[in-house]
Amino acid sequence: MPRDRAAPLGTRTELAAGACGFSRPHPDMDRQHAEKPHSHTTAERASSGLSQNPRISFHISEPTRDLSYRKAPQGSASGDRPVHSATILLSNSQSSQAALVPQEHKMFLEEAYNAAICFKMLRELNSSDTLRLKHIVSKIRDMAHRAPNLVLETIYDYFIDNLEVGAARAIQLLHVLETVIGAMDSLEETWKEAFMKLALENMTKSTELEEAYQDAAGNVLVAICRHSWQPVAQQLETEVLTGVFPHRSLLYVMGVLTSNQQLLSQGEKACWEEKLTQIAVKSVPFLNTDVWSKELLWALTTPDRTQQEQPPEKAFLFVYYGLILQAEDNGNTVRTHLRTLLETSHQWPKQREGMALTTGLAAARHLDHVWAVLEQFGHSAPIKWSLHTFSPKTSDDLRWKWASSTILLAYGQMAVKAKAHILPWVDNILSRMIFYFRYSSWDETLKQSFLAAILMLVGAISRNEGAHSYEFSQLPELLECLMVLMEKEPQDTLCTLTRQRTLCIISSLCKLRPPLDLEKKSRLLTICLRSVLALPLPDVLEKHTCLFLEPPNVQTLYNKTSEALDHMLQSLLTQDPTTDELRLLLSHLYVWLVSEKAHERQRAVRSCAALLRFLNDNLYLHPNNDFRWMGQLMGMLGILCQDPDVATQRSSLEGLGHLYCLLLRQRAEASKAKTLAPEQLSQASEDEAPLWSSGDQKATPPASQEVVFQKDQIFQLGSSQVIKEIMKHLSLEELTDLVWTTVNSLGSTGPCHGQAAADMLLTIIQEHGAKLETASDASTSVNGQSQARGREGRLRALVPEAAMNTLHELQFAREFKEAVQEAYPQLLLALLTQILYILELNLPEGPRVGQEAQGAATPSPQSTSLEALKSLVSTTGHWQDFAHLELRGSWDLFTTIHTYPQGVGLLARAMVHNRCRQIEAVTRQLLPALQSQEVRARKVAMLILNEFLYSPALLGVLPEQAALTVLARSLRDCSPEVRVLGLQGLGNILFHPEKGSLLCRQLPPFLDGFFRSSEPVVVRLMGTVSDTLHRLGVHSVGAQSLSIAINSRSFFEDERDGIRAAAMALFGDLVAAMAGREPRSLKTQVQQSMVPLLLHLKDRCPAVVTQAKFAYYRCAELLGWRLRHTLFSSLAWERGLSARHFLWACLMSSSQEEFSIHFAQALSCLHSCQHHIKTWAALFIGYTLCYHPRAASQTLNDSDTKLLLRTFEDLRKGPEPGMPEFAARQLSFLQEVVADRSGLPPSPLTCHLPNSSPGPTACSAPPRLHRARLHNIFPFERKI
């Protein structure tokens, strides 16, 4: 390519840079272009390449107006470039200026602008700044999406016009080209041909950065393959089959195409592999060419730059060599080449893997010859020497040290590539593998090679359909080797995949014949469980990886190893789906269930639950097998449900649920089997596979509908309920085993296990004591071991407490989320009843019985049940009901027997006010609860029903007449409390609509009483008005709501704490009662109350703060604010700067039209006698001044400004930490705002800033000054 072709590009980009506001190129570049004769370059500019940058139309310099259109020359000078349609070129002639129309002129400028940008970025690729280079490449790639042809042509021109550029610079250009081509959606044929030619020319070029340069050029070819791989493959085939050994860069590209799984689709991958096979067949004659074969061997044996990673060209060469040997018809030639290959060095792992792969590919067609070569090589002198040498002394010793590892891998590859032909060879291959494993020098290399080879062999067998008809005689010996390998693994470290791979191999071997005998299976279980479950905790294991260059993720590694262990247990059970096999597996796990180490118990119970889940979901045991060990296992899992470790509790509960389902199914099928005549049973076994077989189990089992229902419901219960359900189906023998399991655990030294055993034993005796022959013996044991357990009432409370703990955990488990939501009505009533039950026990607050000696105070049954109730309401989508009680501090009402009815009533009232969707479902549960034999259940139901009478949703389930009948029936209840509640319900306004007008007429006298001097009288009157609003229900107070709002708001700033709190409570109740039907005047009152309520969040009285929070939240709901959940969280729990800023931002963004009112209210609070409110009012004003300075300055008058100045001056002298600095900066800031408003000369702080734009809006964005000053003002607020 002539060098004089660089001139047009340089001239064009130089002029374009000037036209678009860029600096001119380097002076040396100018001189270089000026000395060269002018010529022209083709440069098509597609419409997709047009820039949308608006700056083009504003910066048009005079020289750019001298333009013309010409066709690019098509002579030989441009023959090497891709030719497109006519191109716009710059011209020094002014004769054709009139030919330019405005649109074409703009198009040219836009193209020139983009070309200049791209050219400038390409010139900057010689930067040594890595981050800068990444940024440039990213920018060019983005430009290619908008203007692909422009970018490709610019890169092509730049590359061709700078042929003498340095190798490092050229590598950067090739990298950019690769990135651009790879990022494009499509590539035109012209560009494919041009860049393919460019890549092939540079792939064989010799430079000081030879391999890096060639690989960069090869990557361009790979990028082209993403768009069309066939032309590239055809070109590669042509280059490879010339008879000369292929250049390494060609092998590099073929290696990338072979190994990159994302480059080609599945269909394209298959076509490429077929193409490789064809190339290999055509390459067979080269094996007999001495020069070609020597170069091949030299390329295969040359040491790599880094022995840990093999370059793609070498990895491909092993594949290519194997395919050629596979295609060779002459077996002697195959033997010769394999022997030559195996006699090279075996020192490096990638070299060993490559030789094994070549051997395996050759075995696909020449299995006998490959076996003979490996046998001969195994009996050679170097191999015999390596088997008995443990400390190599010379480099030649290292060459042969790991030759046995190569042989192991070669046997594995043989099995993979031979496919269906491998089965008759399996025992022979296994015998050789076992030999090398036992007699080679033991190290990590041999161990990993052995496992990799076995995995390949087992995988090949598993994929063969006829494997189950073979009986492999070497399997027992292989299992012995695997057990030895597991035993030799260090018990205090986990750094490799050895355990995981070994367990996977064992899982696969379990499916083959012959099956394991009982003794060997028991030993295998013992070794594998100890190797995995006895590992230290992950943080201890991580300490052993501190010296690794790339330490493994120990937690992930253990999780995968544990999954492999579970899969092994499941495989054993799959092959023998009987209760005897299950008992064998569980008996080995039982040893670890009773371990004194918490992490070992956790791991064991997780594996146990996983095994029971697998059996419950996939297998059905034979009904003739009994579950005699059921009581022992159930007892252990039940005790572990009280384990201090949360994960152990969850796994134990899950295991109990699966055990229950398994027991029910076994009982149902055993009962069915007994009802069938022997002839029917025999006929059924002949006609179809038995339900307990290990075949296809997708069909629904013939269990009763009761069993299916129980399976769905059992996982929603607590551990004590599950235990009770299981005990109903246990035989006397199984119950006896359960009793003795719990008795033996009473003396356990484990945390809480003794107490858990006592709880379970008490339940057993209460439920089934009459039928237990050992009840008296058990009682004797209990007397001796549980004297310190506490009194009987405490033991009775511990059982429901366990259920509450379990339920509390289930509410936060994702797998139970849907079930908890569906059971919300039942759970709500159960929890409310449970709290009342515990309150009636009158238990003393304090540590749990049995924990005093340890000095650990644990939550009481009352707090546990209350937390379960709170989490149920908050985690099932009823957070608004939760907020109603949380903001008012009403949860404390559930902690005493006297305030409990009020707490239940407020919870039900919250559901009514928030129009809870569960009201109808809860009402359906109330009806059976009202007929319960337990007084507490009827009491709870009546408390909720009385509040639900105010909800229109109630009538959809319980019509008015039916509600009257229910309430009338309650008047005959034996409990006085239920009768009183029934009378209150009968007086509801639902049954007496005339009460509405009567109550409304009583409101004016009550409002007049607000102005009495007695604080208790005023507080009670405000409470009476709140109660009246509640009793009116759906009957609105109408216009009187405005009077109530005005009267209550007038007491927000009262000096008496009780009246302020009562006024805010009344206002909040009014807003809640009028939600959805509020008059417009009430909404105005609400908007004008937001700032006082917000500022009173810092009131000195806690009761006022509580009522202000509730009223503020209810007002936000009525005004329809967004992010109400975040608002609730900020009001309930947040105390920092972010919460205050969020509340202020919500207010200002949701009521901009009330800006002046809010600002004036904040100013008025500067007169407050409460220092905290005055301070927070100043902070409110500070926020407003900084974020809305113009609107604030328009609102301020002179007196307000003076007040603010005095306030900040006083705060500057205050003792609070950080406040003097804050006030001082606010003073300065306020002076600037005033100066901006009055048009006075700015202070020295603002004289250097540009003028502001005219016409500010009410809440316009602050000028740059105020945004910059925010960071200087508000950090001091954090100290206040």
Side-chain angles (χ1 to χ4, degrees), residues 566 570 605-615 654-655 658:
D566 293 341
Q570 294 164 10
V605 74
R606 191 202 63 80
S607 294
C608 182
L611 182 62
L612 293 173
R613 179 175 62 251
F614 172 80
L615 181 61
E654 181 187 0
H658 291 299

Side-chain angles (χ1 to χ4, degrees), residues 880-888 906 910 913-914 1110 1114:
Q880 292 175 314
D881 303 336
F882 178 84
H884 194 107
L885 274 70
E886 181 71 21
L887 292 175
R888 304 196 86 163
L906 286 177
H913 283 171
N914 295 315
F1110 176 77
R1114 298 306 304 195

Side-chain angles (χ1 to χ4, degrees), residues 502-522:
T502 304
L503 292 169
C504 290
I505 293 171
I506 294 174
S507 299
S508 299
L509 294 180
C510 292
K511 303 174 184 178
L512 304 178
R513 299 170 55 198
L516 292 174
D517 58 70
L518 182 60
E519 182 180 355
K520 182 164 290 187
K521 187 183 296 184
S522 180

